[in-house]
Amino acid sequence: MTESLTRRLSSLRRPALILRAARIGVSDYRRERDLKRLLKAQSAPGPQEALSALLQQEEKLEATRQEGDCSYSVTAHVELLIALLAEARLASALRA
């Protein structure tokens, strides 16, 4: 993982309940199915590219949450965080 992505991931501060739900959901994450759906892609990109795209989406969703916008979806937020956690683990494993 690049230093920039690592820094961005480690600096995420989200509500504990949302993070807890995401950590629990990682065990059900299926890369081919979930990542393609979240990124609206034909095939799953590499972990670095996936992390970058997921972080961009998550930052937008977090801004929507903080603004109190009624379009905010906690389900979508948890799904994105699940993918972020799983892809970060994959990137770390591939790096090791």
Side-chain angles (χ1 to χ4, degrees):
M1 222 174 347
T2 66
E3 186 175 325
S4 159
L5 284 175
T6 304
R7 194 173 331 115
R8 285 172 63 191
L9 278 172
S10 64
S11 69
L12 287 180
R13 300 290 178 253
R14 302 299 180 256
L17 187 58
I18 292 173
L19 286 175
R20 185 172 176 205
R23 285 189 196 107
I24 291 168
V26 167
S27 63
D28 290 329
Y29 179 75
R30 300 295 171 261
R31 190 170 202 276
E32 279 299 311
R33 176 194 67 200
D34 300 330
L35 191 57
K36 288 192 308 187
R37 180 179 48 80
L38 289 169
L39 298 181
K40 296 173 181 68
Q42 294 295 323
S43 60
Q48 296 295 327
E49 186 181 337
L51 279 170
S52 180
L54 290 167
L55 274 169
Q56 288 176 350
Q57 286 187 22
E58 197 280 334
E59 287 169 353
K60 290 177 187 172
L61 199 52
E62 175 63 8
T64 302
R65 183 188 72 81
Q66 288 183 350
E67 292 167 0
D69 191 315
C70 65
S71 68
Y72 172 73
S73 168
V74 69
T75 304
H77 205 168
V78 170
E79 287 177 337
L80 273 172
L81 288 170
I82 288 170
L84 272 171
L85 292 173
E87 292 299 315
R89 287 181 186 176
L90 177 60
S92 180
L94 290 175
R95 194 181 56 206

